[in-house]
Amino acid sequence: MVDSERFKGVNFCLNCGNSLEIKHDKEGKERPQCTKCGWIYYKNAVPAVAVVVLNEKNEILLVKRKFPPQQDFWALPSGYMEIWQTPEETAVCELQEETGLIGDVDRFIGYYMGFSPIYEKVLSLGFKMNITGGCLQAGDDAEDARFFGERDLPVIAFWSHIDFMQKCGIKIQKETPDEIQ
């Protein structure tokens, strides 16, 4: 992608409000830079967290997405990491916000670098979690929340979620449509 397209809409310095120009920085990379105060705009992947929760029947917890991207598809409870949160804190919060369940992190599953229709790139971090309380009910940006057996799995919204599920031993048996991300 041409850098001018990559930085489309990035016009003003967040430090002083001056116009930005795309120039080579000290590393030789083209980035929007302020000609007045020297502030540089760095475009980085956005961190997100997804959680894998299995119940006593080895069924996996999924939520039906209420909003884009991937509205009406099923996904792991997940969300973008806030600047004040650790990845583990994000996992605990997203689980409770989207499902009403309270849990704690069992282990880190891994990471997945993928496309984001909103932020261009997203770095997804997967966590296996255990339920410690709460009551299952859809909340926040989830239209529905429920457990599925391997044979009853719906189409999963994101490749990163499929990857985390497979790393936890869940076999994905359905074909996934081209439009998943």
Side-chain angles (χ1 to χ4, degrees), residues 28-47:
K29 297 175 183 171
E30 285 189 329
R31 303 182 197 277
Q33 299 176 54
C34 180
T35 56
K36 186 175 180 182
C37 73
W39 182 82
I40 300 172
Y41 175 82
Y42 293 93
K43 190 167 192 173
N44 303 85
V46 174

Side-chain angles (χ1 to χ4, degrees), residues 66-99:
K66 192 186 292 187
F67 305 111
Q70 305 303 76
Q71 182 176 357
D72 296 327
F73 280 93
W74 290 86
L76 296 172
S78 58
Y80 293 110
M81 195 167 83
E82 300 287 351
I83 194 75
W84 58 83
Q85 290 177 319
T86 66
E88 293 84 358
E89 290 169 338
T90 303
V92 170
C93 287
E94 291 298 331
L95 177 66
Q96 187 169 9
E97 288 172 6
E98 294 187 1
T99 70

Side-chain angles (χ1 to χ4, degrees), residues 43-62:
K43 190 167 192 173
N44 303 85
V46 174
V49 169
V51 301
V52 173
V53 174
L54 301 173
N55 65 12
E56 62 282 345
K57 298 177 191 174
N58 209 37
E59 297 169 321
I60 190 160
L61 178 62
L62 298 174

Side-chain angles (χ1 to χ4, degrees), residues 73-162:
F73 280 93
W74 290 86
L76 296 172
S78 58
Y80 293 110
M81 195 167 83
E82 300 287 351
I83 194 75
W84 58 83
Q85 290 177 319
T86 66
E88 293 84 358
E89 290 169 338
T90 303
V92 170
C93 287
E94 291 298 331
L95 177 66
Q96 187 169 9
E97 288 172 6
E98 294 187 1
T99 70
L101 297 174
I102 300 167
D104 58 18
V105 173
D106 177 38
R107 66 182 174 87
F108 176 64
I109 298 167
Y111 71 91
Y112 187 96
M113 187 69 158
F115 168 77
S116 166
I118 301 169
Y119 300 110
E120 192 176 330
K121 290 285 186 178
V122 63
L123 173 64
S124 296
L125 308 171
F127 290 93
K128 174 88 170 49
M129 294 187 67
N130 298 313
I131 301 302
T132 59
C135 180
L136 181 60
Q137 61 185 14
D140 193 31
D141 55 359
E143 186 176 310
D144 193 2
R146 64 175 104 142
F147 286 92
F148 289 88
E150 275 187 14
R151 293 184 181 164
D152 301 319
L153 286 175
V155 173
I156 305 301
F158 304 106
W159 288 111
S160 58
H161 295 197
I162 291 169

Side-chain angles (χ1 to χ4, degrees), residues 10-26:
V10 180
N11 301 312
F12 300 99
C13 177
L14 293 179
N15 188 45
C16 73
N18 192 53
S19 293
L20 297 175
E21 289 182 17
I22 296 179
K23 302 184 341 181
H24 286 90
D25 65 8
K26 61 186 173 195

Side-chain angles (χ1 to χ4, degrees), residues 169-181:
I170 303 297
K171 292 177 179 58
I172 308 296
Q173 301 185 10
K174 289 190 176 189
E175 289 295 316
T176 55
D178 291 335
E179 65 267 13
I180 74 164
Q181 301 175 4

